[in-house]
Amino acid sequence: GNVLHLGAQILQAQTFMRPKLLAMASESGINPARVFKVMAESGAEYMKWNDSPHAKKLEQLGAFEATFKYDWSTYAGDANPRFKQSMADHLQGISLLTWVEAQAVRRPAALMFYQMLKEMGYERIARDPNEIYQVAKELTDHYMVSTRFYEKPHVFSRTGLVGMAISPLQSFATTWLGMLREYGILSVKGLLEGSVTKQLPLASFIAANLMTAGMLGMVGIREWDAIA
């Protein structure tokens, strides 16, 4: 289970980020080609690690905070974001998964969102210089899989003990389905308006998932097999 989850985490940023950046570009009216510029710039910032002033700002806001442990009952009510690593965590691979989520998923995603907001000119309408970093953090929380209980779908978060019991490790699938719905609606809107750019996010999303389906399994296939 940990090996599969580790693979999903490593591929998550590349699978989920490009379609969302394309959606942001299409809805803001900027050329989708600028997404590649954004990804290149964020990659350069990522390589600077903590020498990047933008990375430092995002880290201070908690944008890189791993949420993996929130899916484990031992930590479900833990209010401290900085979990103490135990020997059991290391032996079970939880500490590795937590590190991967923070540094290989949330860090690059937050930097990409920051660069995209900057490319869109968000700084010109922000109420203060730190607002762009806060928005980048919130986007990271929404579009990178978060296992915080209050960020899960209502079918899990508002069904008491039953929801808590069945929600662990379901966040990846529900985030995927939410994105499919979002890009599907945007694509239909693009068809009605004659906009090709609004159809790119869905095409990119499906293409990325088809490329990784052999390694991780296409989200929804096992669920469909179970109910069909």
Side-chain angles (χ1 to χ4, degrees):
N2 279 355
V3 173
L4 183 63
H5 192 83
L6 180 61
Q9 290 282 47
I10 292 172
L11 292 171
Q12 185 187 157
Q14 295 305 316
T15 305
F16 284 177
M17 283 303 300
R18 188 178 291 107
K20 180 56 186 174
L21 296 180
L22 285 169
M24 293 172 72
S26 67
E27 291 183 291
S28 63
I30 68 174
N31 191 326
R34 289 162 72 176
V35 167
F36 297 100
K37 173 176 177 281
V38 165
M39 296 184 77
E41 290 173 343
S42 62
E45 288 296 320
Y46 182 84
M47 295 304 293
K48 293 178 184 177
W49 210 247
N50 288 331
D51 288 336
S52 165
H54 307 306
K56 287 181 179 178
K57 282 277 191 182
L58 289 164
E59 187 169 27
Q60 288 170 1
L61 291 171
F64 306 157
E65 181 194 331
T67 66
F68 177 74
K69 276 193 173 183
Y70 284 104
D71 246 357
W72 299 84
S73 59
T74 307
Y75 301 95
D78 199 328
N80 184 359
R82 300 194 177 278
F83 302 106
K84 295 180 180 178
Q85 302 291 345
S86 67
M87 183 56 68
D89 292 337
H90 296 310
L91 292 175
Q92 294 172 12
I94 295 175
S95 57
L96 173 60
L97 290 169
T98 301
W99 185 91
V100 169
E101 182 190 350
Q103 307 304 335
V105 178
R106 298 181 68 80
R107 178 184 286 265
L111 287 169
M112 279 189 263
F113 276 129
Y114 165 75
Q115 291 292 345
M116 190 64 197
L117 289 167
K118 184 178 177 183
E119 191 73 15
M120 291 165 57
Y122 188 87
E123 289 174 311
R124 294 195 297 270
I125 62 171
R127 289 169 293 183
D128 62 74
N130 290 323
E131 185 177 327
I132 189 171
Y133 297 103
Q134 183 62 44
V135 174
K137 175 192 179 300
E138 291 173 2
L139 286 168
T140 304
D141 288 340
H142 292 161
Y143 288 91
M144 294 296 99
V145 173
S146 173
T147 59
R148 293 184 182 90
F149 191 67
Y150 59 84
E151 290 179 344
K152 294 190 177 189
H154 291 172
V155 68
F156 299 131
S157 62
R158 295 191 178 183
T159 49
L161 292 175
V162 175
M164 184 177 290
I166 65 176
S167 68
L169 304 182
Q170 297 300 311
S171 296
F172 190 93
T174 53
T175 301
W176 189 96
L177 291 170
M179 289 185 177
L180 179 63
R181 177 181 179 274
E182 177 185 346
Y183 304 143
I185 292 172
L186 184 62
S187 182
V188 171
K189 186 177 179 181
L191 284 170
L192 294 174
E193 296 175 356
S195 171
V196 175
T197 59
K198 290 184 178 179
Q199 298 171 50
L200 290 177
L202 180 62
S204 175
F205 184 69
I206 292 175
N209 279 276
L210 287 174
M211 289 176 63
T212 59
M215 287 178 280
L216 302 178
M218 193 72 165
V219 172
I221 296 298
R222 283 178 295 181
E223 288 82 353
W224 174 260
D225 288 340
I227 64 175

